Amino acid sequence: MKRILTQLLNLPEVVVESSIEEDLILFLTVSKKAKSAVCPQCGKKSEHLHQNQKYLVKDLPMGDFEVILNVNRRRFKCKSKRSGG
């Protein structure tokens, strides 16, 4: 079921980890496949996880179901930026 929901979302690099149906609301916990991010300032890849923050995003409905995405926003620290470059 998670694989089908991942395909239905049609968000590149995003995977549905779990789903819960409550009344006519579908809660999908999603995560990004990549374990790193590119620094928007220096362009270098970082795997140094700094912070996790969960938040809810209302998506387009699927049939009669309202869809809410539970997103884990991961923030990475840039080692190049910390060292002044």
Side-chain angles (χ1 to χ4, degrees):
M1 181 69 159
K2 289 184 254 180
R3 188 176 196 178
I4 293 169
L5 292 171
T6 296
Q7 291 173 343
L8 284 174
L9 276 182
N10 195 26
L11 295 172
E13 300 299 316
V14 174
V15 176
V16 174
E17 299 290 336
S18 66
S19 64
I20 298 172
E21 290 181 31
E22 194 172 294
D23 298 319
L24 286 177
I25 301 173
L26 180 60
F27 291 94
L28 302 177
T29 300
V30 298
S31 65
K32 196 167 179 186
K33 290 179 187 177
K35 301 298 180 201
S36 62
V38 175
C39 177
Q41 293 187 359
C42 75
K44 292 186 180 179
K45 187 170 97 171
S46 175
E47 295 176 350
H48 182 69
L49 186 62
H50 170 65
Q51 183 180 37
N52 282 305
Q53 184 177 2
K54 302 263 182 177
Y55 64 101
L56 301 176
V57 177
K58 186 174 182 178
D59 199 4
L60 295 173
M62 285 188 193
D64 293 336
F65 284 89
E66 181 179 349
V67 177
I68 306 291
L69 303 179
N70 182 6
V71 179
N72 180 17
R73 180 176 179 219
R74 298 177 300 161
R75 296 182 72 185
F76 295 86
K77 272 195 178 174
C78 176
K79 292 184 180 184
S80 298
K81 190 175 169 187
R82 280 192 303 173
S83 63

